[in-house]
């Protein structure tokens, strides 16, 4: 909100008024005297207004919240190892994928043989079709001397989603309310397995395994590395721990000089009995039962920066507006469509979608969304047979393959507010 309209141009306005003055001498005097005065007055009004807005904004205390989590995905060959913003969710992904096939036949007798992960760059509905446990793809396995016909299956890659689940428990360890993570790329990763090789000679070494993914072939990408803005670091207690007032625990202080300014930190030492975590003058103070200095394992969550990547950085962050800050602090409930629309639009990713309407149904023909918090199993709900709350969105870029994944994130946010309903989204 501004004192003047966003598209108001003071210089253009003064120029139009000048042209309305027919007398040239009067026009010159107006331009030199009154015109400059208006420009200075306009600048001062805007300056004072923004200062007032900042002062009011700062008077509202910040609600306790965790760090903003940003995810992305990139081809291994395109990743810059000197990047200080986004890091691989698994360091081993930066190494070339090698197929360990020394005991292939023995493995196939018991279970499918794992090969490598692939990334399916497609809409959620197409990904759901691809995730068919009964579908068998044909292909070939090459060795140094021969080529064999083989059969393959795919299964959802769960490793990176488990990392998000671990993050949920790390938030609890740090006494922070959970913030759902928007990580659409992780739901498009699949592991490829061999289930059969015709006439395989176990003495040979596999050099290449090629799968014919048929109608999905153009959307399959190999050697992709999931990224996030989290860096794992180790920092030792800066001074010898001091006894707390309870005479049971000890305060472990980490000086701000050992930390990055504007980054946020999560403690991941699950083996330590932590009773309190607080910040004072930039220093991190941890109350724990251990009386000796500790090597603290930290997640350093880097602040969002303006940097270009081949794929879009997707964040679970929220736009910093006064109304949202006020609602977050006082914990306002969602009671109207307008309040629902305002909540959804407060997230950065909402720029891809437009809230249209909400309705209540007994059932729906097709589910277009999934829960990004499906690992949370201890939610308190009011009943087993819940009515469906269906939210309609319009995609601003209809062909964008992450639309339904972003919608799933927003619906997962709504689900926390409407526990008595099963929440789903739909593109209209």
């Amino acid at each position: 909100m501004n004192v003047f309209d966003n598209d108001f141009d003071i210089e253009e306005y003064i120029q139009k008024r000048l042209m309305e003055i027919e007398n040239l001498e009067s026009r010159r005097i107006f331009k030199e005297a009154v015109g400059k005065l208006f420009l200075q007055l306009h600048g001062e009004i805007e300056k004072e207004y923004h200062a007032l807005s900042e002062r009011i904004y700062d008077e509202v205390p910040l609600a306790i919240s965790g760090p903003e989590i940003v995810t992305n995905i990139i081809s291994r060959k395109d990743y810059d190892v000197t990047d200080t913003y986004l890091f691989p969710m698994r360091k081993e992904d930066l190494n070339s994928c090698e197929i360990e096939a020394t005991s292939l036949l023995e493995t196939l007798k018991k279970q499918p043989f794992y090969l490598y992960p692939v990334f399916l760059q497609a809409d959620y509905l197409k990904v759901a079709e691809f995730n068919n446990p009964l579908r068998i793809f044909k292909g070939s396995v090459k060795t140094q001397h021969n080529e064999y016909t083989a059969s393959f299956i795919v299964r959802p890659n769960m490793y990176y989603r488990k990392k998000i689940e671990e993050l949920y428990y790390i938030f609890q360890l740090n006494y922070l309310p959970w913030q759902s993570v928007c990580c659409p790329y992780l739901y498009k990763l699949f592991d490829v397995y061999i289930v059969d090789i015709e006439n395989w000679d176990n003495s040979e070494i596999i050099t290449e395994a090629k799968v014919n993914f048929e109608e999905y072939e153009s959307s399959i990408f190999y050697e992709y590395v999931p990224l996030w803005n989290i860096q794992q670091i180790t920092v030792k207690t800066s001074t010898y721990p001091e006894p707390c007032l309870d005479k049971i625990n000890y305060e472990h202080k980490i000086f701000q000089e050992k930390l990055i300014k504007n980054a946020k930190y999560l403690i991941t030492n699950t083996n330590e009995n932590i009773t309190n975590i607080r910040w004072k003058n930039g220093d991190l103070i941890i109350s724990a039962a251990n009386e000796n200095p500790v090597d603290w394992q930290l997640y350093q969550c880097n602040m969002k920066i303006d940097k270009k990547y081949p794929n879009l950085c997707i964040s679970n962050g929220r736009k910093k507006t006064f109304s949202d800050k006020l609602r977050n602090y006082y914990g306002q409930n969602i009671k109207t469509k307008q309040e629902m629309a305002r909540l959804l639009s407060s997230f950065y990713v909402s720029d891809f979608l437009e809230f249209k309407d909400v309705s209540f149904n007994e059932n729906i023909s097709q589910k277009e969304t999934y829960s990004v918090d499906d690992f949370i199993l201890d939610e308190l709900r009011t009943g087993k047979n819940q009515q469906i709350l269906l939210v309609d969105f319009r995609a601003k870029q209809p062909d964008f393959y992450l639309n339904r994944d972003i919608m799933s994130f927003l619906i997962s946010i709504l689900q926390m507010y409407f526990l008595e309903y099963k929440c789903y989204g739909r593109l209209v």
Side-chain angles (χ1 to χ4, degrees):
M1 180 178 176
N2 292 312
V3 176
F4 301 96
D5 293 337
N6 291 329
D7 57 352
F8 178 73
D9 188 334
I10 183 65
E11 294 186 4
E12 182 182 348
Y13 175 80
I14 292 175
Q15 187 62 32
K16 288 182 179 179
R17 300 290 79 80
L18 279 172
M19 299 309 295
E20 294 174 357
I21 302 175
E22 296 182 358
N23 186 285
L24 296 180
E25 182 63 19
S26 298
R27 186 186 298 178
R28 184 185 63 80
I29 295 173
F30 181 89
K31 182 177 181 180
E32 292 181 356
V34 183
K36 292 181 180 179
L37 176 63
F38 279 175
L39 286 174
Q40 293 175 357
L41 179 61
H42 175 267
E44 286 299 317
I45 290 175
E46 286 289 286
K47 180 181 177 181
E48 290 299 321
Y49 172 78
H50 288 300
L52 177 61
S53 297
E54 289 295 324
R55 190 159 64 249
I56 294 174
Y57 185 86
D58 291 338
E59 285 179 358
V60 179
L62 280 172
I64 297 175
S65 62
E68 178 180 342
I69 307 299
V70 179
T71 60
N72 204 331
I73 199 165
I74 194 170
S75 173
R76 181 170 55 83
K77 62 181 177 60
D78 293 332
Y79 179 70
D80 179 7
V81 293
T82 64
D83 194 342
T84 58
Y85 175 45
L86 295 183
F87 298 86
M89 296 181 71
R90 180 168 57 182
K91 292 181 180 180
E92 293 77 9
D93 290 339
L94 296 180
N95 302 325
S96 299
C97 182
E98 296 182 359
I99 301 174
E100 297 290 341
T102 54
S103 58
L104 178 59
L105 283 180
E106 291 300 318
T107 303
L108 288 178
K109 291 177 182 178
K110 304 173 184 178
Q111 61 188 16
F113 180 82
Y114 172 75
L115 286 176
Y116 46 68
V118 294
F119 174 65
L120 178 61
Q121 185 173 299
D123 174 74
Y124 165 67
L125 296 181
K126 187 173 181 180
V127 171
E129 291 177 358
F130 184 70
N131 184 21
N132 181 356
L134 301 179
R135 180 76 179 266
I136 296 179
F137 297 95
K138 293 296 183 180
S140 62
V141 169
K142 292 183 180 180
T143 66
Q144 292 178 333
H145 308 289
N146 297 296
E147 181 173 346
Y148 301 88
T149 300
S151 300
F152 304 84
I153 60 172
V154 295
R155 294 290 183 269
N157 180 298
M158 301 303 296
Y159 175 85
Y160 306 100
R161 291 195 233 175
K162 285 290 183 183
K163 297 286 285 185
I164 302 299
E165 182 178 352
E166 290 172 9
L167 193 62
Y168 168 72
Y169 294 104
I170 290 172
F171 267 65
Q172 291 183 341
L173 178 66
N174 287 263
Y175 300 96
L176 292 171
W178 173 242
Q179 296 174 202
S180 301
V181 179
C182 189
C183 48
Y185 302 112
L186 306 189
Y187 290 84
K188 303 181 188 299
L189 287 167
F190 289 85
D191 290 331
V192 179
Y193 294 85
I194 297 177
V195 292
D196 182 60
I197 304 179
E198 296 180 6
N199 303 317
W200 172 248
D201 182 355
N202 203 38
S203 63
E204 296 198 71
I205 299 175
I206 296 176
T207 58
E208 181 184 5
K210 182 65 176 176
V211 187
N212 179 11
F213 285 108
E214 301 176 11
E215 70 268 28
Y216 304 101
E217 188 68 37
S218 61
S219 302
I220 293 289
F221 293 87
Y222 299 85
E223 297 186 335
Y224 263 50
V225 180
L227 310 173
W228 61 359
N229 64 326
I230 295 178
Q231 182 181 10
Q232 291 180 287
I233 64 171
T234 301
V235 182
K236 193 168 187 175
T237 306
S238 299
T239 61
Y240 207 81
E242 300 178 2
C244 296
L245 292 176
D246 61 11
K247 298 181 180 180
I248 299 174
N249 298 293
Y250 297 82
E251 283 193 347
H252 296 252
K253 183 178 291 186
I254 299 176
F255 293 146
Q256 60 179 321
E257 289 78 12
K258 293 188 176 183
L259 307 174
I260 301 297
K261 186 178 181 181
N262 295 326
K264 288 194 174 184
Y265 292 87
L266 296 171
I267 299 166
T268 64
N269 296 63
T270 55
N271 59 324
E272 296 293 338
N273 186 12
I274 299 172
T275 59
N276 188 32
I277 299 171
R278 60 192 176 94
W279 292 83
K280 184 178 180 180
N281 299 326
D283 297 334
L284 175 59
I285 302 174
I286 308 162
S287 298
N290 198 329
E291 62 180 314
N292 298 310
V294 173
D295 288 329
W296 294 103
Q297 308 298 321
L298 304 179
Y299 270 178
Q300 178 180 293
C301 305
N302 299 313
M303 296 296 289
K304 194 174 182 180
I305 63 173
D306 186 17
K307 183 176 179 179
K308 294 287 186 180
Y309 290 89
N311 291 294
L312 285 174
C313 289
I314 304 296
S315 163
N316 68 341
R318 302 179 70 163
K319 304 169 185 175
K320 295 175 176 60
T321 64
F322 178 75
S323 59
D324 287 322
K325 187 177 180 182
L326 199 64
R327 183 177 63 248
N328 292 339
Y329 181 73
Y330 290 105
Q332 179 183 345
N333 294 325
I334 307 299
K335 299 179 180 178
T336 66
K337 291 183 181 180
Q338 187 61 38
E339 289 174 346
M340 182 182 292
R342 189 179 296 115
L343 169 68
L344 296 175
S345 65
S346 68
F347 291 90
Y348 291 124
V349 293
S350 66
D351 292 343
F352 294 95
L353 302 173
E354 178 186 352
F355 172 82
K356 298 299 292 182
D357 200 5
V358 61
S359 59
F360 300 92
N361 300 269
E362 295 299 328
N363 55 68
I364 55 177
S365 57
Q366 184 182 44
K367 295 179 181 179
E368 297 186 32
T369 55
Y370 55 87
S371 171
V372 301
D373 296 324
D374 57 354
F375 49 81
I376 301 178
L377 304 176
D378 57 348
E379 287 182 308
L380 299 176
R381 298 185 180 272
T382 57
K384 295 181 179 179
N385 299 319
Q386 297 149 316
Q387 192 177 15
I388 291 174
L389 187 151
L390 184 61
V391 185
D392 291 336
F393 294 89
R394 182 186 69 84
K396 296 181 181 180
Q397 301 177 37
D399 296 330
F400 185 42
Y401 73 102
L402 296 181
N403 281 332
R404 287 187 171 86
D405 299 276
I406 291 172
M407 183 169 62
S408 296
F409 166 73
L410 295 176
I411 292 299
S412 298
I413 297 295
L414 277 185
Q415 186 67 77
M416 295 184 180
Y417 288 84
F418 297 95
L419 294 177
E420 66 273 27
Y421 299 101
K422 290 182 178 178
C423 299
Y424 294 99
R426 178 175 63 181
L427 291 181
V428 295

